[in-house]
Amino acid sequence: MDFSLPIISLISILFFGVAILYSSVGHGGASGYLAVLSFFAVVPAAMSTTALILNLLVAGIALLSYSRARHLDLRLTWPFLIASVPAAFLGGLVHVAAHVYFIILAVVLLLASLRFLFEVGTRPEEQSFKSPSLVIAFLVGAVIGFVSGVVGVGGGIFLSPLILLAGWGDAKRTAATSAAFIFVNSIAGLGGRVSGGTFEVGTLIPFVAAAFAGGWLGSHLGAVRYSNQTIKRVLGLVLLIASVKLFISS
């Protein structure tokens, strides 16, 4: 994954923006990074590995910010993690043909875009929440973890709306759980890629710097206030365009 300096600068700026937006709601931004890379000639292995590495960095920053703000509810979080880690590792071992990968990625980006365009409304803070049963949490964690490992995302983009819809947590507890889920699954997915021989990455230093700066800023803002709805609609539109492009090219 070797680009000219102008292209590296452009991608870095885009990654900085993606990291701000995603980390503000406890996400690592993998679907956003993949959407950006889909507009350039990047092979699937390099795309997914890069997305997971940046995901790990940004989700880690978000997890730290939300934990410091005391929004992390371990009773809600740990069952998802237990089931998702081995599933994400197995997903990272899976090698799929390029055209199949791009079709799967297009579906993931489409679902991610719908999540931002038609976001689940937050519930009142004073409402009581009930964590899911262990069976449900294990099943959800395993399914999302495996898909995340295959595609190269952390899975928070799927887990967070589910938690809100089911009434398992409020917006900030959901963001904290998503950050933890993304962090551990990114590690597991990268481990699977290393073991399966699909770990491939090129020029990462500028992207890491951009993601770190954006992740720090976005997670700091997100831990103390909700993110702007209009910005998330714009982000959803960008993901939708990337999804349509992938469907057409595949």
Side-chain angles (χ1 to χ4, degrees):
M1 192 172 63
D2 297 316
F3 300 116
S4 64
L5 183 58
I7 296 298
I8 290 176
S9 300
L10 173 60
I11 294 176
S12 297
I13 292 171
L14 294 174
F15 278 7
F16 174 74
V18 166
I20 291 176
L21 295 172
Y22 276 77
S23 62
S24 70
V25 290
H27 293 174
S31 57
Y33 307 134
L34 290 170
V36 171
L37 293 176
S38 71
F39 288 100
F40 302 89
V42 183
V43 297
M47 286 178 64
S48 58
T49 301
T50 299
L52 282 174
I53 291 174
L54 298 181
N55 222 28
L56 177 64
L57 173 66
V58 175
I61 296 171
L63 176 59
L64 181 61
S65 295
Y66 278 95
S67 296
R68 284 179 172 175
R70 304 191 179 210
H71 297 305
L72 181 62
D73 184 350
L74 292 178
R75 290 174 301 175
L76 171 64
T77 306
W78 77 263
F80 296 119
L81 304 186
I82 292 296
S84 65
V85 169
F89 181 84
L90 292 175
L93 288 171
V94 174
H95 177 71
V96 295
H99 71 283
V100 175
Y101 173 82
F102 285 124
I103 290 174
I104 297 174
L105 176 58
V107 172
V108 170
L109 293 183
L110 176 61
L111 294 175
S113 71
L114 296 177
R115 183 257 187 270
F116 283 111
L117 291 172
F118 307 101
E119 186 174 20
V120 180
T122 58
R123 295 170 181 260
E125 294 297 324
E126 66 273 9
Q127 178 177 327
S128 60
F129 298 94
K130 182 179 179 180
S131 297
S133 68
L134 289 180
V135 173
I136 295 297
F138 287 160
L139 180 61
V140 168
V143 172
I144 296 179
F146 182 78
V147 174
S148 301
V150 172
V151 179
V153 297
I157 201 75
F158 305 121
L159 181 63
S160 56
L162 181 59
I163 292 176
L164 291 172
L165 270 174
W168 295 335
D170 61 23
K172 294 201 174 183
R173 275 179 285 186
T174 297
T177 294
S178 294
F181 188 85
I182 293 166
F183 183 78
V184 299
N185 282 305
S186 295
I187 294 175
L190 286 169
R193 275 166 171 70
V194 172
S195 299
T198 57
F199 186 94
E200 182 178 333
V201 66
T203 306
L204 253 188
I205 293 178
F207 304 151
V208 168
F212 177 84
W216 181 86
L217 178 59
S219 61
H220 175 71
L221 295 174
V224 297
R225 68 178 183 179
Y226 296 117
S227 52
N228 186 278
Q229 298 299 313
T230 301
I231 293 177
K232 286 191 280 188
R233 298 294 185 272
V234 173
L235 178 59
L237 182 60
V238 172
L239 294 176
L240 180 61
I241 293 171
S243 175
V244 171
K245 174 187 177 294
L246 284 171
F247 274 121
I248 293 174
S249 61
S250 298

